[in-house]
Amino acid sequence: MEQNNEMSAKQSLELIAETINNSRKGIIRNSGKHFILWGILLTLFSLAVYFLWKASGQAMWNCLWFAMPLVGFPLSYCLRKKSDYTAPDNLISRMMSQTWRIFCIFSLSVAAVAMIIARTTTPIALIGITPALVLMFGVAESINGILLKNNVITVAGWLIGIGGLVIYYVSGINIGQMLIFTFAGIMLTLTGVIVKYQNR
Amino acid sequence: MFPKLDSLLHSELRLAVMSILSEVESADFTYIKKQTGSTSGNLSVQLDKLSAAEYITVEKGFKGKMPCTTCRITDKGIEAFRQYVEALRSYLMPSDSSLHSE
């Protein structure tokens, strides 16, 4: 872009609109790779918990979930550092990352409360952790869809939340419920791919 | 009577820089360079002009061991940008702008 001081009013407004639009697309595209990273991690961890739990019969393998942020956050940091520049945050990217940050905090808290406190005070934890988490996941995904104005992501969020709940009640409390998270992980990865390619 | 356009903003590269910075909290030099497709030298000169007018702040620091220049739009810059866009609109839709001023 060179110096040009002879722009018409229409050209100036077009330049502003185009620059803002390109910048927005770049910022949102940048967040796509983080969706893909966390989607792949969720898929892998859910499969790992599923197979280890199934093989050993020990529900304690669910503790493996707590390792997911320990792996994910350093990888996310590396992904950010790998870029030759820091993509800035705008309102949409900030709201998207905050939505998932809140989801992460709530998920770890719900799981910790159910595993530690409920076990010591009641014989069984009365909250179904899987449906609670899958509902929160669906809500977070749908909010992202609305922010991105993408109906596929919004509906995918609803499908994960409500569909996951239906699968949970239909299949009952068993190891197979871990596969709901595998489904959620695949949907999150697909969201990342859509975000990345829709904003090319 | 049409309002006068801010000559500092009525330049392709400076206007693009202000458009980018109006959308984000801050942006680093490399990002602005990539978005505008400008050369480093030209961008530096234009950033200095915007900074001298107090439309933006330019902060030089380090990201790890690499030098990093971060730019941020100021309140004065936001107001100037807003007035510039309003002025452009009044050029294109004079009747519309008179409605707004009533």
Side-chain angles (χ1 to χ4, degrees):
Chain A
M1 190 176 282
E2 296 304 321
Q3 274 308 99
N4 175 11
N5 299 342
E6 302 297 323
M7 294 182 293
S8 68
K10 190 167 176 277
Q11 282 175 319
S12 296
L13 280 175
E14 279 171 358
L15 174 74
I16 294 169
E18 196 187 325
T19 310
I20 289 176
N21 198 28
N22 285 342
S23 177
R24 276 183 192 168
K25 279 184 172 180
I27 292 167
I28 294 171
R29 187 172 57 239
N30 182 63
S31 63
K33 57 188 178 191
H34 293 278
F35 272 84
I36 295 172
L37 167 72
W38 287 99
I40 291 171
L41 279 178
L42 181 59
T43 308
L44 293 177
F45 269 81
S46 61
L47 287 174
V49 172
Y50 171 74
F51 286 115
L52 290 169
W53 188 357
K54 198 175 176 187
S56 66
Q58 295 289 319
M60 279 307 284
W61 280 109
N62 274 290
C63 290
L64 204 59
W65 286 113
F66 292 103
M68 197 170 122
L70 298 178
V71 177
F73 284 117
L75 283 176
S76 185
Y77 177 76
C78 289
L79 211 60
R80 213 170 292 133
K81 287 244 350 179
K82 225 179 93 181
S83 176
D84 55 348
Y85 61 88
T86 310
D89 266 333
N90 67 3
L91 186 65
I92 293 176
S93 65
R94 208 162 41 241
M95 284 177 79
M96 279 164 66
S97 63
Q98 294 299 346
T99 305
W100 286 106
R101 204 160 289 161
I102 292 294
F103 166 76
C104 182
I105 292 167
F106 268 76
S107 297
L108 291 174
S109 310
V110 166
V113 166
M115 288 172 81
I116 301 162
I117 298 173
R119 280 279 169 85
T120 57
T121 53
T122 59
I124 46 160
L126 290 174
I127 184 168
I129 303 170
T130 303
L133 298 191
V134 93
L135 261 179
M136 284 197 290
F137 189 100
V139 170
E141 174 90 349
S142 283
I143 291 171
N144 275 204
I146 289 165
L147 289 173
L148 293 169
K149 293 178 182 163
N150 187 309
N151 291 336
V152 176
I153 298 171
T154 309
V155 173
W158 185 85
L159 275 177
I160 293 167
I162 307 303
L165 203 60
V166 171
I167 294 169
Y168 175 78
Y169 286 126
V170 170
S171 69
I173 303 168
N174 56 42
I175 303 164
Q177 64 182 296
M178 281 302 115
L179 296 178
I180 296 172
F181 291 119
T182 310
F183 171 61
I186 292 167
M187 293 308 289
L188 190 62
T189 310
L190 283 177
T191 303
V193 173
I194 290 170
V195 165
K196 216 166 153 40
Y197 289 96
Q198 195 183 42
N199 292 286
R200 262 178 187 270
Chain B
M1 184 76 179
F2 287 115
K4 202 168 176 289
L5 288 175
D6 186 336
S7 58
L8 195 63
L9 295 182
H10 199 61
S11 119
E12 203 173 344
L13 184 51
R14 287 195 293 267
L15 187 57
V17 170
M18 290 295 280
S19 303
I20 292 169
L21 292 178
S22 69
E23 269 286 295
V24 298
E25 269 179 25
S26 64
D28 69 33
F29 184 87
T30 324
Y31 176 80
I32 298 172
K33 190 182 151 199
K34 188 174 183 287
Q35 286 292 317
T36 56
S38 59
T39 61
S40 298
N42 194 8
L43 182 59
S44 286
V45 171
Q46 305 314 323
L47 288 179
D48 283 345
K49 285 185 183 175
L50 290 169
S51 175
E54 295 178 349
Y55 284 2
I56 63 167
T57 58
V58 179
E59 220 172 274
K60 291 184 193 293
F62 284 89
K63 197 169 81 177
K65 286 179 183 171
M66 299 291 285
C68 176
T69 303
T70 308
C71 304
R72 207 180 299 264
I73 197 165
T74 61
D75 289 344
K76 189 179 173 187
I78 292 170
E79 183 54 27
F81 187 65
R82 194 191 62 76
Q83 281 182 7
Y84 178 79
V85 173
E86 282 295 313
L88 288 178
R89 280 192 180 142
S90 72
Y91 274 67
L92 293 172
M93 296 171 282
S95 55
D96 188 45
S97 81
S98 65
L99 281 175
H100 282 297
S101 59
E102 278 170 12

